[in-house]
Amino acid sequence: MRQTTALGPSDDAPPVEATDARPLWHRLAAARWGQSRATTAVGYGVLAIALALGCFQIYTALSLSLNSYLQRVLHLMFVLVLVFVTRPAGKGRWARRLPMAVVDTLLVLAAVTVSLYPVLDYDGIVARAGIPSTADLAMGTVAILLLLEACRRAIGVFMAVLVACFLCYAWLGPLLPGLLSHRGYTVQRIVSHTYLFQEGIYGLALGVAATFVFMFILFGAVLEKTGGGNFFINVAYALTGKYRGGPAKGAVVASALMGSVSGSAIANTVTTGSFTIPMMKKAGYRPHEAGGVEAAASTGGQLLPPLMGAGAFVMAELIGVPYIEIVKVAVIPALMYFAVIFLFVDILARRHGIRRLPAEDLPRMREVMAGGFHFLPPLILLVTLLTLHFTPLLAGLYATAALAVVAMLRASTRMSLKDMGEVFALAARNTLSVSVATAAAGVVVGVVGLTGLGLKFSSMMLSWGGGYLLPTLLLIAVASMVLGMGLPVTAAYIVLIVLAGPALLDLGVPLIVAHMIVYWYSQDSNVTPPVALSGFAAAGIAGSSPIRTSMAAWKFSKGLYVIPVLIAYSPLLLNGPVSEIILAVVTGLIGLMTFAVAIEGFWLRRTTAFERLAAVAATGLLLSPYLVADAIGAVLALFVVVAQLRGPRAPEPVAPASKATSTACLSHGTRGCLD
């Protein structure tokens, strides 16, 4: 079986796909240590650490007696050890030679030491709160340096530099001009604030990653190893394959289904894209368009309940509401996002004359459900438990256990001991970047709280926005785009909400609306050039230019910028009367339709200049909060529809039966597609 990327609510960089049958833990060791004699032993060490991490997480989920600070410390200890064991310090050969092996071994020992220190001396640390000892400061300094290096390896230089800049900002405050100036803090104060207790590295963000997020990463790993991912792809193609542009529409639906239970845009892109992108290319989509559609649709998976992305769990904790409340308000905007991507791919199908898939190449829904119906009860259990206000941690644990049990009941999805080991290795690998990112983001949040930077940044944005909501939203979108060039989604959301969130609140935006707006904007790091992680992952599968693919994904995912405006000005988050919610959904969908037509210059046929201008005007009016503007915009949209209907339409050819299309694998069982 060809190993694909495991699923999980993480936003890490795309893992390397396997090209051989070696166990994952061996490949992780080989990525750092090469094919040396030590690789096998290191591989088993990676497996042991992954098993220890998984067992520790399950134990802490079942037993809540462990102090939350200590739980986060131990979680990050496992993560740092795995980073230094599996992620090389660089791309050159020097990073895999003996001197660096010694250095990495020392880094592992240092990570264990600085993590066990607060565990073993916790009572002493509490007793001398506010008066850290020399040992406290020495351990804290080493911990910060280790985290910066882990950031560089697991995420990139940008994140490490950003954290370092914030730490320097806390120290150099008196030397800075204007609003950025503050009284400054000593190195001792900064180190103790960052390392000790829960205001820095071991803050709320890491706490979410170390509990809820890991559990759903484990859920996704079990889903992947048992073939549940292919089941959702099969369902998507059974539903959409018979329509125009079926492969692309199937990719949208498959990515929505997969994303709703994985929450990872990049894992979603690699997993579903390895199947859907070749099918789209075969049907007639250009390579960069096929990759763009998959990247944009996979990004939407972090917006669609029940699992969404890691940032959604952080949001629930920051707001102080049950996670199910986030799920409830997120459904409508997420479905609207997928609706606009669906329209984009339909327009492309009409423009290029994309063919429908032959009926004989499509999976039959009855056969699909017969082969994978047992994957549905765990998902139903998960949603039910969340609805009953179980904590996401326990709901994820019980759903994961249920998924493992039902998978063992059928021979086609039963896991061997090796598969079980790979589940823990997958979960451990996929948690590295998200845990490191949230720990680093915790440092930023701690500095912002220590220096009062959030209020100053908010004041600056209010000043630049003139006290108006729309310019402030545009400024936040630009800030998110800049942050997205170097930060993963969860880190970008955390940083942006502590900096820009107060500005939205000062403008009267409700708390949950402000957080959801920032969360939506933070998703653009997956699809916005020059750094577009999902776009780059899709380009690798499509064999197209990464920048061109990312530009296509950026175009298809324009809902990330438009829908937050609707959220700000209308009750899309169920924060109004039913009549107003319905009106907001209807006018919003029409506005998104005209928006797509205006961008593509095509619907049933190529638009005239006047039709395109009318579509642009209709979009602006329908996105406004005024009823009169909505009415005028609807009239303009109707004009565009009538004008398009009166002209000649694009042909709708049907593809001849192919000799061996990639859809044939859909009938080979739940694991067949990616074998």
Side-chain angles (χ1 to χ4, degrees):
M1 175 178 172
R2 177 188 174 205
Q3 182 62 55
T4 56
T5 304
L7 307 177
S10 62
D11 41 63
D12 50 336
V16 178
E17 288 187 272
T19 56
D20 55 50
R22 292 179 300 172
L24 176 60
W25 55 84
H26 185 93
R27 299 197 306 272
L28 290 174
R32 161 61 187 87
W33 302 88
Q35 299 303 326
S36 66
R37 297 178 180 177
T39 299
T40 300
V42 173
Y44 284 115
V46 170
L47 174 61
I49 298 169
L51 288 171
L53 172 60
C55 293
F56 170 74
Q57 295 295 145
I58 293 172
Y59 168 75
T60 54
L62 293 172
S63 174
L64 302 178
S65 59
L66 186 63
N67 178 282
S68 60
Y69 169 73
L70 299 181
Q71 194 269 347
R72 298 167 191 177
V73 169
L74 292 173
H75 172 84
L76 189 60
M77 179 188 72
F78 287 115
V79 168
L80 291 176
V81 169
L82 284 171
V83 168
F84 296 130
V85 170
T86 63
R87 302 289 176 94
K91 296 181 179 179
R93 292 183 179 178
W94 61 269
R96 294 171 176 81
R97 290 178 176 168
L98 181 59
M100 279 308 302
V102 174
V103 171
D104 286 347
T105 302
L106 293 175
L107 291 176
V108 167
L109 294 175
V112 173
T113 300
V114 300
S115 299
L116 292 181
Y117 175 78
V119 175
L120 299 176
D121 193 32
Y122 181 71
D123 292 337
I125 291 173
V126 172
R128 56 181 179 269
I131 312 175
S133 67
T134 302
D136 294 342
L137 297 176
M139 292 294 177
T141 301
V142 174
I144 292 171
L145 294 175
L146 288 171
L147 180 61
L148 291 176
E149 173 60 11
C151 276
R152 190 188 67 81
R153 296 191 187 197
I155 301 172
V157 175
F158 184 95
M159 183 73 176
V161 172
L162 180 69
V163 173
C165 287
F166 269 87
L167 291 170
C168 291
Y169 170 76
W171 181 47
L172 299 174
L175 304 179
L176 299 174
L179 283 175
L180 294 178
S181 177
H182 62 87
R183 67 187 182 91
Y185 294 89
T186 64
V187 173
Q188 292 84 346
R189 176 69 187 280
I190 295 170
V191 170
S192 63
H193 183 84
T194 303
Y195 174 62
L196 302 176
F197 306 112
Q198 302 181 36
E199 296 174 325
I201 295 174
Y202 306 111
L204 177 64
L206 178 61
V208 174
T211 52
F212 311 150
V213 174
F214 182 88
M215 195 53 62
F216 286 109
I217 289 175
L218 185 62
F219 177 87
V222 176
L223 190 69
E224 173 63 21
K225 290 304 300 181
T226 56
N230 290 348
F231 167 70
F232 290 111
I233 295 175
N234 295 347
V235 170
Y237 276 89
L239 291 173
T240 64
K242 61 183 178 181
Y243 300 109
R244 181 193 310 105
K249 291 176 179 176
V252 174
V253 175
S255 295
L257 293 174
M258 293 280 283
S260 68
V261 295
S262 75
S264 173
I266 298 167
N268 200 353
T269 299
V270 177
T271 304
T272 61
S274 61
F275 172 62
T276 60
I277 290 175
M279 287 187 64
M280 284 188 274
K281 290 171 62 179
K282 188 177 183 68
Y285 286 92
R286 297 168 183 170
H288 70 280
E289 292 175 338
V293 167
E294 179 59 46
S298 295
T299 297
Q302 296 197 164
L303 304 168
L304 184 64
L307 295 192
M308 303 175 66
F313 294 95
V314 177
M315 186 194 309
E317 291 297 301
L318 292 176
I319 297 175
V321 300
Y323 177 70
I324 190 64
E325 298 301 320
I326 304 297
V327 168
K328 290 177 183 177
V329 302
V331 172
I332 292 177
L335 293 178
M336 293 175 70
Y337 174 84
F338 282 105
V340 72
I341 298 181
F342 209 81
L343 179 58
F344 267 120
V345 299
D346 186 76
I347 290 173
L348 286 177
R350 291 179 184 276
R351 168 177 279 175
H352 301 320
I354 303 295
R355 302 167 177 175
R356 299 192 301 266
L357 290 173
E360 57 268 30
D361 285 341
L362 294 175
R364 292 179 174 84
M365 182 60 77
R366 180 178 298 177
E367 296 176 0
V368 171
M369 294 304 297
F373 71 92
H374 57 297
F375 291 116
L376 296 177
L379 298 178
I380 296 172
L381 174 65
L382 173 63
V383 175
T384 301
L385 293 177
L386 291 173
T387 304
L388 295 175
H389 297 288
F390 277 68
T391 65
L393 181 61
L394 286 178
L397 177 62
Y398 295 152
T400 302
L403 179 60
V405 169
V406 298
M408 298 300 286
L409 297 178
R410 305 189 68 172
S412 60
T413 59
R414 189 172 298 144
M415 292 188 293
S416 64
L417 286 176
K418 176 185 173 183
D419 290 332
M420 293 179 186
E422 292 219 358
V423 163
F424 284 95
L426 286 166
R429 183 192 66 183
N430 284 357
T431 199
L432 296 185
S433 293
V434 69
S435 293
V436 170
T438 50
V443 176
V444 174
V445 173
V447 171
V448 169
L450 185 66
T451 61
L453 178 61
L455 295 177
K456 297 174 182 178
F457 191 87
S458 175
S459 175
M460 186 168 56
M461 295 199 75
L462 287 173
S463 176
W464 289 356
Y468 295 99
L469 182 56
L470 184 59
T472 304
L473 291 174
L474 295 177
L475 287 171
I476 294 174
V478 172
S480 175
M481 189 179 302
V482 173
L483 287 175
M485 293 180 183
L487 300 186
V489 169
T490 304
Y493 160 70
I494 295 170
V495 172
L496 198 58
I497 195 62
V498 299
L499 293 176
L504 293 175
L505 298 178
D506 288 343
L507 291 171
V509 177
L511 180 62
I512 193 170
V513 175
H515 277 259
M516 194 63 74
I517 289 171
V518 173
Y519 181 70
W520 270 71
Y521 280 143
S522 67
Q523 305 298 318
D524 64 359
S525 65
N526 286 314
V527 292
T528 304
V531 179
L533 299 180
S534 289
F536 290 174
I541 300 171
S544 57
S545 163
I547 295 298
R548 197 176 184 192
T549 303
S550 299
M551 289 298 296
W554 191 45
K555 178 178 70 173
F556 299 143
S557 61
K558 277 296 183 289
L560 292 178
Y561 301 96
V562 177
I563 293 177
V565 177
L566 290 172
I567 292 174
Y569 284 107
S570 62
L572 280 187
L573 300 187
L574 308 180
N575 52 332
V578 175
S579 58
E580 293 183 11
I581 295 172
I582 294 174
L583 179 63
V585 172
V586 172
T587 57
L589 285 172
I590 298 173
L592 290 170
M593 182 197 78
T594 56
F595 179 70
V597 172
I599 288 180
E600 287 292 338
F602 200 97
W603 184 35
L604 303 179
R605 56 172 172 77
R606 186 174 297 280
T607 60
T608 64
F610 189 70
E611 290 170 354
R612 198 167 189 176
L613 183 62
V616 171
T619 300
L621 291 167
L622 287 164
L623 295 180
S624 74
Y626 305 109
L627 189 60
V628 174
D630 287 342
I632 298 173
V635 171
L636 289 174
L638 181 62
F639 163 77
V640 174
V641 171
V642 172
Q644 287 278 303
L645 288 172
R646 294 184 64 181
R649 301 209 191 167
E652 299 183 23
V654 179
S658 58
K659 293 182 181 180
T661 66
S662 55
T663 49
C665 70
L666 290 169
S667 61
H668 293 169
T670 57
R671 295 187 178 185
C673 297
L674 300 176
D675 284 351

